Amino acid sequence: MATEIERKFLLAGDGWKAGVVETLVLKDGLLARFGEGKVRVRHGGDRAWITVKGPREGISRAEFEYEIPLAEAEEIFLLCGMPHVEKVRHIVPYEGLTWAIDVHQGALSGIEFAEVELDYPEQPIPMPPWAGEEITHDPQYRKATLLNRNAELLRGRS
């Protein structure tokens, strides 16, 4: 079984910018939710994927990802209900680990996170000076929560 082991952090500065080795523009659409899992479609550059994520168990969860034709991804985005998540992902190596800094745009504009994928749950993490408070287990930082909160704010302005 494929497993994602990931921890997420708020940013405590922009020192990460000096270490960027790659930048990707990504668009995610939520295709379905099941129990505590989800099915997502993602587009990045000239590639696209369908990802199935199972429920979280600590910082781990089952994850299955399959590349799909770009044209099919664009059609699948039309089936997604919630607003699409748009972000610029910056890849930053730090002391043997690869960090992803996500700078959201669109519906989540202004929200920035750092995340790192690990080989095993207890793996020690050398903390970069720009990584702030850990939010791995904080439900208020899950994308669905953030999207719902932003939608409520926008409704309150109209």
Side-chain angles (χ1 to χ4, degrees):
M1 171 171 55
T3 303
E4 172 188 65
I5 303 167
E6 178 180 82
R7 291 177 63 185
K8 292 184 179 188
F9 300 82
L10 295 176
L11 292 172
D14 63 0
W16 57 269
K17 291 179 179 179
V20 173
V21 296
E22 183 180 6
T23 298
L24 308 160
V25 177
L26 301 173
K27 179 170 92 171
D28 293 347
L30 182 64
L31 187 57
R33 283 203 164 283
F34 58 93
E36 293 181 42
K38 64 183 177 181
V39 180
R40 171 189 78 202
V41 61
R42 173 174 279 173
H43 168 275
D46 60 354
R47 298 176 67 200
W49 305 265
I50 290 281
T51 305
V52 179
K53 294 188 176 202
R56 288 180 179 88
E57 294 181 22
I59 63 170
S60 302
R61 70 190 317 179
E63 178 184 65
F64 303 91
E65 190 163 72
Y66 307 95
E67 192 162 346
I68 61 171
L70 191 57
E72 289 181 17
E74 290 303 329
E75 289 183 44
I76 293 170
F77 274 113
L78 298 175
L79 303 174
C80 298
M82 295 175 85
H84 302 149
V85 173
E86 301 168 31
K87 60 188 170 187
V88 178
R89 174 167 282 176
H90 303 279
I91 305 301
V92 182
Y94 184 82
E95 293 192 22
L97 293 175
T98 301
W99 289 75
I101 310 301
D102 288 339
V103 178
H104 290 82
Q105 301 175 330
L108 295 179
S109 184
I111 297 174
E112 300 179 351
F113 301 127
E115 60 185 46
V116 61
E117 289 200 20
L118 305 172
D119 295 324
Y120 55 96
E122 300 80 23
Q123 182 175 348
I125 302 175
M127 293 301 293
W130 38 262
E133 175 187 351
E134 183 167 6
I135 57 171
T136 303
H137 301 292
D138 192 334
Q140 74 175 332
Y141 290 105
R142 293 206 175 111
K143 285 184 187 80
T145 304
L146 293 168
L147 285 167
N148 287 336
R149 187 179 317 139
N150 279 3
E152 289 171 13
L153 289 173
L154 291 174
R155 277 195 299 275
R157 291 183 192 159
S158 52

